[in-house]
Amino acid sequence: LGAIDFNVLTWAKGQGIKIILDLDDDIFNIPDTHPEPHRSVLKSTSFKNFIKALLTLIDTMTVTTDYLKEFYSKYFSGRIEVIPNCIDETLWKQIIKPTDRRPVPTIGWAGGSSHYQDLQPLAPIWKWIIDKGWNLRFIGYFPPSVNGLTGVDFIEWNNDIRTYYQTLAFARLDTCVAPLMENTYSLGKSNIKLIEYSAFCGAPIICSDWGPYHDEIDIPYIERVDPIPDIAKNELEEAVSLLNVSDRKYKIPTGYTLSEVGPEWERAFK
């Protein structure tokens, strides 16, 4: 957003060029604990005024969830299209999907450093997992709460989407965890992490039973728990036991393929 030039947008508007703004976060409610380096700017009154001025120039807004559509409709009375996050099934078919498992059950999480607050509720469980004789594997971000623990490994983040998806598959996670901090900002998140886990890990998912993770989704094995610290131990044991009698099930949930979502993009840009 910082690269937006209002002179260019005003010129484009005068030329009849359609202006579309795509937002996939609630940028007005970034929490104080968020690691975004420009957080203070994003939380300022001047930034909100900047966005409100921008909204007077756009023709259409695209967002990823119904919640964001409702939220931004308070600031923009024009057309808002909901276009869910999705997976390109052509790319999905090209990804090598292992069917084997690591010798020791591996519990894993994938995400960037901006999600460190989501992981905090699981901090008391990390040592319990290691004491069970299982492994922990983090992709993209290594939380400080696991420093000093053995049986923990880390895979670097890669911004190339194909490489990231292949990394998820080759990580051979036996159970995927997806905690989500309960705050206003998280309500604007999508369920893309659950979709990616299902499509590229093919393993049971244990997630928060809250916000965007609460809604039903066509995933072979997903268990929602709330609050996570009180319940997740039992759920993790059940998930690991399930893998002893069940194969990996790689699946893109119904409604989240590019071929299904693509027409919505076409409609938004008309």
Side-chain angles (χ1 to χ4, degrees), residues 26-138:
D26 174 357
I27 58 175
F28 286 166
N29 285 297
I30 296 176
D32 293 333
T33 52
H34 195 284
E36 163 60 50
H38 305 296
R39 181 180 64 253
S40 60
V41 174
L42 297 178
K43 291 175 69 67
S44 66
T45 300
S46 60
F47 178 75
K48 290 186 178 181
N49 290 337
F50 167 82
I51 294 298
K52 291 175 182 178
L54 174 61
L55 296 180
T56 65
L57 293 175
I58 68 171
D59 298 282
T60 301
M61 178 187 293
T62 59
V63 295
T64 50
T65 69
D66 290 327
Y67 174 85
L68 287 177
K69 178 178 181 178
E70 181 178 354
F71 175 80
Y72 284 117
S73 66
K74 294 181 291 186
Y75 305 95
F76 178 60
S77 59
R79 180 183 173 200
I80 302 178
E81 293 283 350
V82 178
I83 304 175
N85 285 318
C86 63
I87 302 291
D88 181 346
E89 62 268 44
T90 301
L91 175 58
W92 178 74
K93 292 175 182 177
Q94 296 170 359
I95 298 298
I96 301 170
K97 306 175 187 67
T99 56
D100 62 322
R101 300 187 177 90
R102 303 177 77 196
V104 177
T106 300
I107 314 301
W109 176 88
S113 60
S114 64
H115 295 278
Y116 86 97
Q117 192 177 26
D118 295 330
L119 287 171
Q120 287 181 324
L122 281 179
I125 295 177
W126 301 142
K127 186 176 183 303
W128 175 85
I129 289 174
I130 299 302
D131 289 343
K132 292 284 292 183
W134 303 340
N135 288 337
L136 274 170
R137 173 163 280 188
F138 293 91

Side-chain angles (χ1 to χ4, degrees), residues 9 20 77 93 103 112 152 189 201 206 223 227 236 244-245 247:
L9 292 181
I20 298 175
S77 59
K93 292 175 182 177
V152 181
K189 299 283 186 184
C201 298
I206 297 175
E223 193 68 39
L236 283 167
N244 292 327
V245 296
D247 296 327

Side-chain angles (χ1 to χ4, degrees), residues 86 154 179-180 228 260:
C86 63
F154 171 64
L180 187 65
I228 271 194
E260 293 169 300

